[in-house]
Amino acid sequence: MDMAVSSTIPVVGELLFYYKLGPFGFYIFCVSQIDRMRETENTQGIERISIQEPLDFESGLCKPLAFKDNTINSESYSEYILTGDKGMGISTLKGDIARGKKDFAKGNGQRVDKRTTGSVPQDWRIANVVPIFKKGSKSEPGNYRPVSLTSIVGKIFEGFLRDVILDYLNENNCLTPYQHGFMRNRSCQTNLISFYEEVSYRLDHDIRGLMMARCHTDCIQKPLSRAFSWLGKLVGRYPWWFLLIPFALSAGLGAGFYFLPQRQANDIEEQFTPIGGPAKSEREFVRTHFPTNDSGQFSPQRLYTEGLFVSLIAVSTSDNVINVQTFEELMKLDEMVQNFAVMDPAANESLTFHQLCAEIQGKTCMTINPLLSAVQGNVSLIATIPISYPMFQGKIFLGTYLGGVTLNSDDVVQKAKAIKLVYYLREDSESDRERSLRWINEFIKFFTKNSLQLTEIKVSIFTAISRQQEFNGTTKTVIPLFSITYFVTIFFAIVSCVRFDCVRNKFWVAGFGVISSGLAVLSSFGLLLLCGVPFVVTVANAPFLILGVGVDDMFIMVSSWQQTKVKDKVEERMAETYAEAAVSITITTLTDVLAFYIGILTSFKSVQSFCIYTGTAILFCFLYNVTCFGAFLALNGRREESNRHWFTCMKVAKEKDDHRSSAYNMCCVGGGYSHITDKETDHPMTSFFSQALWSIPHQHLG
């Protein structure tokens, strides 16, 4: 440990010293570190990837330069003159004039044929020397750079001879890929970029090699990378199998959605309260020691829950509901409720409130409202009955039935703003509860669609399931918002993979990445529904998370694919892609799945259900990404390998045609790549985000 620290401090100090010198100082530091690593490798025997050495003529791989008899002749020279573009020299003849005179080209071409002497003609050697000012004082001769302007004919011949030599060297592979000078599409800038990549690669791999030689930290990453490399090669070799099998599996598991209505569990108290909480245990104690009997001995005070009820609240349009006109309308409202019936599919009979009501004293239904019971159908009695408050007739509490009460000095109601009618239903047995819930649901639908023509009162409804219905309705209103987020995510994923190159365009790849996430949701949800796992409404949010994870994995795989060599075979490119991308995808998937599966230990059933569905869906998303999506990526790679159009799948030209329009060259010419790295060029959006992220720290530093 002491040796490691002592060896690290000088390196850090040296790096800080060279950092002050700017980019050039950083390059010097990199080169010095590489030399030290090479010395370490020689002493410790560490294996390192060697750079390909340039080819030479003595190796036998490159044939000696020898022109054929017809390589340089008058016709080829004349053709080159007609296409040349040189400035005039001692001959005072402009290049465009020379191009226009075929006789001039032919005559000078004949002089080329007479090259047996092997020397340049004397008049081609004469030049006009022109001084070009550089900087400093103009009176100093050393501040000028001499430029020789030779004959236009000699210049054209120089260019012609250079092209002949370069064509020969390229055709016979006599130039190393590291040659940048005097090469088309090569310059000092490309040389600097290549050098920077080589230095970065050596620093990364050599330092990593030295670290791995001392401490083996890749004991998991290395074998995992090899395994996925083998899988990628297998997917690239047999893509159709890896594409069709996930589709067939999704179709089979998707049958589990048939049980979705049966698996839905959206009860608020059951799903959103902790399992085994003190409130539930105390309620169970009350239920055991104070049981209810809805058939003959019902009492609202003994309810340990809200019970099953329908409550109609009538508010006066004036200031008092205690009058004959209002009670006439209340009687009509009560008659509508009493006569409403629903069909019981199990018994094939109609169910009315009288058949389902909570009963007291035998078969008598629980009182709906004490005042309605007091008038006994004769609404004119309401004007004569003294209504004491809060205890009506000394035995019935009116506080739950009247609202906005005004009393006189004798505690008698003078007027009341609202009155409530409460209809309790049985729920002792499971069958009674199911039929009562059916009646309440159907009555709510009927009441909202068919309202009575009432002038004295305005009626509102509240039931035992109103809170549950509001909860279910709120989730449905959120669905359009999720649709917008789905659209934005899918649109961003597709746009990020679209290119202007008609061959390298990955529109279908991005679209299939989204489809792969959908297949994962279909398979995982269907499997869990088949296994009987409850489906809570919160699980409906999981597909958005799965889409985000799937799109992220898709970006990683596409990015790794673009870093492979374009000229390599599809199988090799898939192996490199999987070795690079699948490892990171696997680690993130394992952490995500583990996090959600740990969430199953919670005491909330809704959270348990959400974690089970989401964790399983992420697992399927990973499996489908490395199989189904990888297979489609391999098929798309075969299309690119044969240089076919992304939409029509027809072969297109690789080079632009100058005789065609720019629209044709954009739509029907493709397959380009970086000839420096032999990789695909970066996507414009990738460059945009790279520049944006690069500018953030520089803005803070500034």
Side-chain angles (χ1 to χ4, degrees), residues 155-427:
K155 290 181 179 179
I156 294 177
F157 183 77
E158 288 178 9
F160 169 68
L161 186 60
R162 179 202 61 196
D163 292 347
V164 171
I165 295 174
L166 286 179
D167 291 341
Y168 180 86
L169 296 176
N170 289 328
E171 291 175 0
N172 293 275
N173 298 322
C174 295
L175 294 176
T176 173
Y178 302 101
Q179 176 67 33
H180 289 268
F182 305 101
M183 296 288 292
R184 295 189 182 93
N185 301 324
R186 299 291 185 95
S187 63
C188 296
Q189 184 178 5
T190 59
N191 187 14
L192 184 61
I193 293 174
S194 300
F195 173 74
Y196 177 77
E197 289 187 356
E198 180 66 21
V199 170
S200 301
Y201 177 85
R202 290 311 180 98
L203 285 175
D204 183 26
H205 287 70
D206 290 354
I207 293 176
R208 184 183 303 173
L210 292 175
M211 291 179 61
M212 294 305 174
R214 297 176 182 176
C215 50
H216 298 282
T217 59
D218 61 343
C219 56
I220 297 177
Q221 186 267 344
K222 195 170 184 179
L224 194 62
S225 179
R226 289 179 180 176
F228 276 109
S229 177
W230 173 83
L231 177 61
K233 185 174 294 185
L234 194 64
V235 172
R237 187 176 303 170
Y238 308 105
W240 287 108
W241 287 103
F242 287 92
L243 182 68
L244 297 178
I245 291 178
F247 269 95
L249 181 62
S250 299
L253 295 178
F257 277 86
Y258 174 79
F259 301 98
L260 179 59
Q262 305 174 19
R263 304 287 188 260
Q264 287 186 349
N266 295 324
D267 184 79
I268 296 178
E269 183 175 347
E270 180 184 1
Q271 298 296 331
F272 297 93
T273 56
I275 302 172
K280 289 186 176 180
S281 60
E282 293 170 359
R283 178 176 295 178
E284 182 63 22
F285 178 84
V286 174
R287 187 190 68 82
T288 304
H289 294 81
F290 300 90
T292 60
N293 185 0
D294 297 342
S295 301
Q297 298 178 357
F298 177 77
S299 173
Q301 287 78 16
R302 293 179 66 91
L303 289 175
Y304 52 87
T305 62
E306 290 183 339
L308 293 181
F309 66 91
V310 173
S311 176
L312 298 178
I313 303 174
V315 180
S316 175
T317 55
S318 57
D319 61 346
N320 190 15
V321 294
I322 311 298
N323 56 63
V324 176
Q325 295 80 5
T326 301
F327 267 68
E328 286 179 350
E329 293 188 353
L330 289 175
M331 294 297 293
K332 292 180 182 180
L333 183 63
D334 177 62
E335 183 181 0
M336 180 191 72
V337 177
Q338 299 284 350
N339 294 332
F340 178 75
V342 297
M343 226 23 223
D344 183 11
N348 196 20
E349 62 177 355
S350 298
L351 298 175
T352 61
F353 172 75
H354 185 74
Q355 296 172 284
L356 299 173
C357 67
E359 299 170 339
I360 59 174
Q361 299 176 356
K363 297 295 181 181
T364 304
C365 291
M366 174 67 185
T367 301
I368 298 168
N369 185 285
L371 299 182
L372 284 182
S373 300
V375 299
Q376 298 178 354
N378 186 5
V379 296
S380 59
L381 295 177
I382 194 63
T384 60
I385 298 176
I387 306 173
S388 58
Y389 189 88
M391 300 301 295
F392 178 59
Q393 296 178 352
K395 58 182 179 180
I396 301 175
F397 181 69
L398 287 182
T400 58
Y401 295 99
L402 287 179
V405 178
T406 302
L407 305 176
N408 59 14
S409 58
D410 298 329
D411 291 336
V412 175
V413 177
Q414 287 185 335
K415 58 182 179 179
K417 184 64 177 178
I419 189 170
K420 182 168 66 174
L421 311 180
V422 184
Y423 300 84
Y424 284 100
L425 293 93
R426 294 195 298 271
E427 59 172 337

Side-chain angles (χ1 to χ4, degrees), residues 10-41:
V11 174
V12 175
E14 185 178 359
L15 175 60
L16 294 176
F17 171 75
Y18 283 115
Y19 177 78
K20 297 179 180 180
L21 299 180
F24 183 72
F26 174 72
Y27 289 134
I28 297 176
F29 170 76
C30 294
V31 173
S32 63
Q33 292 302 313
I34 291 176
D35 292 337
R36 293 178 183 176
M37 291 176 185
R38 287 175 176 172
E39 294 176 1
T40 306
E41 292 168 3

Side-chain angles (χ1 to χ4, degrees), residues 308 356 425-426 432-440:
L308 293 181
L356 299 173
L425 293 93
R426 294 195 298 271
D432 286 342
R433 179 177 177 81
E434 184 178 347
R435 291 190 298 174
S436 298
L437 287 173
R438 182 183 297 275
W439 188 90
I440 294 175

Side-chain angles (χ1 to χ4, degrees), residues 596-618:
F596 280 106
Y597 280 170
I598 291 176
I600 300 176
L601 302 177
T602 183
S603 58
F604 292 88
K605 288 186 176 180
S606 59
V607 179
Q608 288 181 351
S609 180
F610 176 78
C611 290
I612 293 174
Y613 276 91
T614 306
T616 307
I618 291 177

